[in-house]
Each structure stands twice: as structure tokens, then as C-alpha cells.
Amino acid sequence: MNATLERWSTRRAFILAVTGAAVGLGNIWRFPYITGENGGAAFLVLYVVFVLLLGLPIMMAEILIGRAGRRSPVQSLGHLAALAGASRHWGLLGLFGAFTVFCILSFYSVVSGWSIEFFITAINGGFVGRNPAEIGAGFEAFLADPWRMTFNHTLFLFMTMTVVAAGVAKGLERLNNLLMPLLYLLLVLLAGYAATTDGFGTALSWLFRPDLAAITPMVVMHAMGHAFFTLAVGACALMAYGAYMPERQSLPHAAGAVALLDVGVALLAGIAIFSVVFSQGMDPGEGPGLMFVTLPIAFAELPWGALWLSVFFLLLLLATWTSSINLAEPMVATLQGRGLGRGRSAAIVGVLVWLMGLLSALSFSTLAEWRPLFGMSAFDLVTTIPTEIFLPVGGLLIAVFAAWVMPHREAQAALGVGEPGFRLWRTMVRWISIPLAALVLAAGLL
Ligand code: TRP
């Protein structure tokens, strides 16, 4: 582990790594379609509230545990529990996290694969001169093609696991650092273009004027799950990164910066996408295909549209690459913690995730009729349950561990702030985050 211990020798590098984990499909793909399915502004308000009251404080809890333990999640939890005289079984939480990211990475790789396909199509001018109906039909045909779906999933997962195995994530994060501002710029540009379309006004009021009557227990549950997902919190993945966090860095500052950027990217994507939706008279609740259908339409209207579209998908791919590397980390760290080499650990994780991912990749074709639970397809199940149940449960337990179980001194040192700051954080986690997460989970499950 020593070689990697130096990974994030600077504060900036740590923030970059966490931003790389946070910004990804959750912001640009998942946020718009989930918001669309849940009525817009009311969902958005809840999501922001959950980011502030749950996501941020628990993100700090999670990184703090890794930083205090300086080991793989399973070992950090076990070690700190022993220090506190608590049960060693807390280590199981690390395994639960590894199982959660296993499920998430399986579909994440498939959807990132869609970006590969769209990048290639865009660069070949495949969207030029297509009308919205044709673009929609093209996407449907792609989903229904088991071979192309599997090929792109395989390619993306291979890209991810190669970087993880070679331990060169740091290099990728640097590249990310260089190129992500361009992605943000493209989103600003798109949002600017959106402002000139007919749908812009409708999109804004739909996104920002909440209708409180639209709030149901399910909407609340979806918003909570998404807050965890987008911040990469609840599966011990940031805990694994926390183990490499440099000394003397304030965790609240780092976490705050990441959350701000993360929500900002989602809002820009939302504004751009919903302006297209309302300009074209489309359905905001279109589902997982929303981004893939609206963006080619939007870019088509811009000068050099085909070029920008391919650049956009390339950058999105880079963003999802660093996120999926983070998703792989808890699993790889767990195997490594048991004495396996990094390369072998990455290979095992890669094969298992690939197999699981086939269920998602084939959900739209070969397995379309297979509805194992609640009449939902494998893809619907794996994009819903791990995010909306496993992440909040994991986050809740992480919060309990950091705010109730861990010894005060270790926790405070790892948060990297003074006594008043620490007390503020702990009070918030103990009396707001934990009860709120428990309440929403209970309401949603009932
Ligand atoms: N936050 C990432 C996104 O928005 C996804 C992600 C990366 C994630 N690492 C995670 C989600 C760990 C849950 C847990 O695309």
C-alpha cells in the first residue's frame, strides 16, 4: 500500500480525485432523467436539501473513517472499532459497500459504453441531418442490439480495470483536471444556447418552481438515493480514497468544494436538457434515454455541432472513467487487504462485474422479457435498488460509526478541524443526518 499512500501528496490532488469520483453519469445522465420522472422542481429542492443535510456531512464521515484508519475500508472499520472497544463486525460494513459498488459499477459500465457508441457515431457524422424522431429511433435500435451493447460494456470495463490494475489513476486524474473545465464550458455553452430556445422559460419554471403537492414518499426516497449517488457516498468508495488523504487538510473545505461543483454540473445539464425537451415537445419522464436523445438534437442546432457533440461525449467518457475507477476501488482494496496483488484483484473484480453487467446490457434485447422482481427489468432493478436502498443504508451506518462509535480524538483529528468545528459536524450528523436518513428509509420501505 505504501506506493499508493503517496498518491495524493497534495491537497489539490485529493480534491481532484474526489471530484473525479463525484462528477460523472450521476450529474449528466442520471440527474436529468430522475428529475424528469419525479416531476421537476419538487424533486430538485429535495435533492439539494439531502445533499446539504445528508450527503455532505456523511461524505465527511466516510472520508474521515478512511483517513483515520489508513487501510482498506474493511480493515479501517475493524481497526477503529477495536480501538473504540466496539464490535469487530463493523468491518462487514466494508463488505456491504463492496457489494453495493459491485452492483452500481455493473450498470455504470454499460451506460458509459453508450457514451463510447455515441462518441463514435458523432465523430463519424452519424447524427448530422437527423431529425429528433430519427435520433430517438436510432437509440432504440442500439439498445436492442445485444452485440453492440455488450461490446461497448466490455470495452469500457476493460479501460477501467486496466487503469486500476496499473495503478495509474493519478495520471488519469491529471488529464481529467486538464480537460474537465472544457466539459463545464461546453455545458455552459449548451445552457446558453438553451436560453435562446422556446423551451427555456418552461424548463426554468419546471426546474425551479416547486409544486409541493408533487412530493410523495417515493419522490423523497428517489431524491435521497440520488444525493448519495451523485456525491459517491454510502459505499465506502470515498473511504478507500480517504486512506490516502494528506495530513493537515480540512475535510469540510474539500467536501464542500466537491459538492458545489457536483450540484453545479447537474444544474447546467438539467437546464440544457430540459430546454430541448420542452422545445421539442418531448416527455420529461422519458427515462434513461433522455440525455442520449436530447443532446444530439441540441448540438445539431449549433454551428460545428457534430464536432462539439463528439467532444462532449469524449469528455463525458473521461468523467465516467474516473468515477468508475472510484467504484472499483472498494472491491480491489478489499481483495488487496486479503493479500492478493493489485493486478490479480483488478482482474477478478473485472470478470465478476463484467458478468453482472451482461444482465444490464442485455436487458433491452435478449433479456427484455425477464422481470425478476416487481415487474422490473434487470437494468431497472440494478439502477434502482443499490442506489436507493443500499447507499442510504450504508451511509446511515457510516454516519453512526463516525459520530457515535469512533473515539472522539481520532475522529476530530481525521476531520481536520478544531473542537468547535468538530462538535458542529458531530451534532449535525447525530441529530439531523442519522434521524433523517432513518426516517426516509423507513417511510420509503413501508
Ligand atoms: N458519483 C458518480 C456519478 O455521479 C458515481 C459514483 C462514483 C459512485 N463512485 C461512487 C456512486 C461510489 C456511489 C458510490 O456518476
Side-chain angles (χ1 to χ4, degrees), residues 21-27 101 104 108 228-233 235 237 262 323 326-327 391:
V23 177
L25 288 177
N27 311 69
V101 288
I104 293 180
Y108 206 92
F228 281 104
F229 185 90
T230 189
L231 293 179
V233 169
D262 195 63
S323 294
N326 174 252
L327 283 163
L391 286 181

Side-chain angles (χ1 to χ4, degrees), residues 109-128:
S109 166
V110 171
V111 178
S112 299
W114 301 355
S115 300
I116 299 183
E117 175 87 12
F118 271 60
F119 166 64
I120 305 283
T121 309
I123 211 168
N124 288 325
F127 293 111
V128 175

Side-chain angles (χ1 to χ4, degrees), residues 1 65 69-82 88 90-92 94-95 239 333-339 401:
M1 190 147 139
I65 296 171
R70 297 269 181 221
R71 292 164 172 81
S72 80
V74 175
Q75 294 169 317
S76 289
L77 287 160
H79 168 72
L80 294 169
R88 276 236 159 221
W90 276 103
L92 293 177
L95 288 185
M239 191 183 294
T334 302
L335 292 181
Q336 267 193 299
R338 317 221 141 184
F401 187 83

Side-chain angles (χ1 to χ4, degrees), residues 28-363:
I28 296 170
W29 168 71
R30 195 175 194 277
F31 170 75
Y33 96 74
I34 291 284
T35 306
E37 287 180 340
N38 287 279
F43 174 86
L44 179 63
V45 170
L46 287 169
Y47 153 70
V48 172
V49 167
F50 285 133
V51 163
L52 294 175
L53 298 185
L54 295 179
L56 256 179
I58 300 182
M59 181 190 230
M60 295 179 215
E62 185 174 329
I63 300 176
L64 167 168
I65 296 171
R67 192 187 201 184
R70 297 269 181 221
R71 292 164 172 81
S72 80
V74 175
Q75 294 169 317
S76 289
L77 287 160
H79 168 72
L80 294 169
L83 263 188
S87 162
R88 276 236 159 221
H89 290 315
W90 276 103
L92 293 177
L93 178 52
L95 288 185
F96 178 60
F99 179 67
T100 307
V101 288
F102 168 69
C103 300
I104 293 180
L105 184 55
S106 77
F107 78 78
Y108 206 92
S109 166
V110 171
V111 178
S112 299
W114 301 355
S115 300
I116 299 183
E117 175 87 12
F118 271 60
F119 166 64
I120 305 283
T121 309
I123 211 168
N124 288 325
F127 293 111
V128 175
R130 295 288 192 85
N131 65 35
E134 287 166 337
I135 290 175
F139 181 64
E140 293 299 321
F142 166 56
L143 287 184
D145 183 339
W147 295 107
R148 276 197 288 163
M149 293 283 284
T150 304
F151 175 77
N152 288 300
H153 159 54
T154 309
L155 184 59
F156 183 81
L157 196 62
F158 184 77
M159 283 162 52
T160 299
M161 298 321 295
T162 311
V163 172
V164 172
V168 291
K170 194 175 174 181
L172 193 69
E173 275 146 18
R174 281 216 198 104
L175 185 68
N176 213 29
N177 173 35
L178 219 64
L179 295 179
M180 279 305 105
L182 191 58
L183 178 67
Y184 308 149
L185 193 73
L186 272 180
L187 283 171
V188 171
L189 219 102
L190 263 189
Y193 153 73
T196 68
T197 62
D198 308 334
F200 185 64
T202 322
L204 284 191
S205 64
W206 193 78
L207 268 174
F208 297 110
R209 215 173 282 149
D211 166 18
L212 297 183
I215 297 181
T216 64
M218 278 331 274
V219 173
V220 178
M221 184 90 173
H222 295 315
M224 176 167 80
H226 189 68
F228 281 104
F229 185 90
T230 189
L231 293 179
V233 169
C236 304
L238 293 183
M239 191 183 294
Y241 277 15
Y244 311 121
M245 187 175 181
E247 306 288 337
R248 280 197 305 278
Q249 176 168 17
S250 151
L251 191 38
H253 282 117
V258 171
L260 204 66
L261 190 69
D262 195 63
V263 172
V265 171
L267 288 182
L268 282 174
I271 290 172
I273 287 175
F274 286 114
S275 298
V276 179
V277 166
F278 291 114
S279 302
Q280 301 286 339
M282 292 165 64
D283 172 14
E286 151 109 24
L290 188 66
M291 175 198 104
F292 289 94
V293 177
T294 46
L295 289 187
I297 299 175
F299 276 107
E301 309 273 323
L302 294 175
W304 302 82
L307 176 69
W308 290 124
L309 185 62
S310 50
V311 172
F312 181 90
F313 277 112
L314 189 65
L315 294 170
L316 178 63
L317 210 52
L318 197 62
T320 66
W321 204 358
T322 50
S323 294
S324 61
I325 286 167
N326 174 252
L327 283 163
E329 189 62 29
M331 295 181 273
V332 172
T334 302
L335 292 181
Q336 267 193 299
R338 317 221 141 184
L340 252 63
R342 191 154 181 96
R344 188 164 298 185
S345 307
I348 295 173
V349 168
V351 169
L352 294 178
V353 172
W354 182 77
L355 287 172
M356 178 77 171
L358 286 182
L359 294 183
S360 292
L362 303 179
S363 258

